[in-house]
Amino acid sequence: MTVAVYPGSFDPVTYGHLDIVERASRVFDRLIVAVLINRSKTPLFTVEERVALLKEATKHLANVEVDSFTGLLVEYMRRRGARAIVKGLRAVTDFEYEMQMALINKNLDPSIETFFMMTSKEYSFLSSSIVKEVARYGGRVDDLVPPCVVEALRRRFADPGGPIEF
Ligand code: PNS
């Protein structure tokens, strides 16, 4: 059984991420979408909120699990018995950073392979940051993120300290 991990910040999950999740879930036996608990960034959504949104958005995919991790990705993967990392590439601008991460992970654990998937062309411009920027100023994002995220963004910007139940 091939277990793959799709790691990221997912702040919040977009249709670009979900495109990768759906396609990777057809290639690997099991896919773990792993949200990084990163204390050095100030995210819009807490890790618990990001995990909840990802669970809602991937609930139709039986072999997809959503989890969170802290520390090194390769150590998390060792604990989970995973050997494959899945990453999405949107454009050549992603390449240098992604190659650096793939090579450092290979250096840390030579048994781990990174698999890159090209994001579908309709999402090649999409990022969590751009979605937050548009939503912050009241722009329409319903074709960029799933309905639960549209609602979560609306609530977060309407009441920054409030809950985002959906
Ligand atoms: O969505 P992002 O922020 O581009 O994802 C980056 C992520 C989470 C994949 C990367 O920062 C990561 O794997 N962090 C865990 C710490 C680690 O293992 N660092 C060494 C390899 S970069």
Side-chain angles (χ1 to χ4, degrees):
M1 177 149 139
T2 316
V3 183
V5 171
Y6 178 30
S9 303
F10 304 106
D11 184 43
V13 60
T14 69
Y15 278 142
H17 297 128
L18 292 171
D19 168 54
I20 298 292
V21 171
E22 292 196 356
R23 286 160 54 209
S25 75
R26 293 197 287 269
V27 174
F28 296 98
D29 297 315
R30 184 160 191 78
L31 183 70
I32 303 170
V33 183
V35 181
L36 175 68
I37 304 169
N38 185 349
R39 289 184 184 84
S40 67
K41 277 191 186 174
T42 312
L44 181 64
F45 295 106
T46 66
V47 170
E48 293 75 20
E49 289 168 340
R50 283 179 271 157
V51 166
L53 291 168
L54 271 161
K55 282 188 176 163
E56 174 67 19
T58 60
K59 65 183 181 195
H60 58 294
L61 300 167
N63 64 336
V64 173
E65 174 191 334
V66 183
D67 194 10
S68 58
F69 75 104
T70 183
L72 284 178
L73 175 63
V74 293
E75 279 170 13
Y76 170 74
M77 293 181 65
R78 240 177 260 152
R79 289 200 297 279
R80 298 301 316 266
R83 287 282 170 80
I85 300 170
V86 171
K87 299 302 294 279
L89 279 183
R90 285 167 300 192
V92 279
T93 42
D94 283 342
F95 183 77
E96 211 169 319
Y97 173 63
E98 291 297 342
M99 188 175 77
Q100 188 183 24
M101 280 203 282
L103 293 178
I104 196 73
N105 284 327
K106 192 85 186 153
N107 200 54
L108 289 166
D109 186 338
S111 72
I112 285 176
E113 295 294 343
T114 302
F115 293 83
F116 291 108
M117 296 180 69
M118 296 309 301
T119 304
S120 297
K121 60 183 184 308
E122 59 267 43
Y123 303 124
S124 59
F125 66 95
L126 191 50
S127 69
S128 298
S129 314
I130 212 83
V131 165
K132 284 183 279 193
E133 180 79 3
V134 173
R136 186 185 307 275
Y137 298 111
R140 196 173 54 80
V141 291
D142 57 304
D143 53 347
L144 309 179
V145 293
C148 59
V149 176
V150 174
E151 184 57 15
L153 286 162
R154 195 190 61 73
R155 284 178 184 234
R156 180 58 27 101
F157 288 124
D159 177 12
I164 58 140
E165 293 129 37
F166 52 89

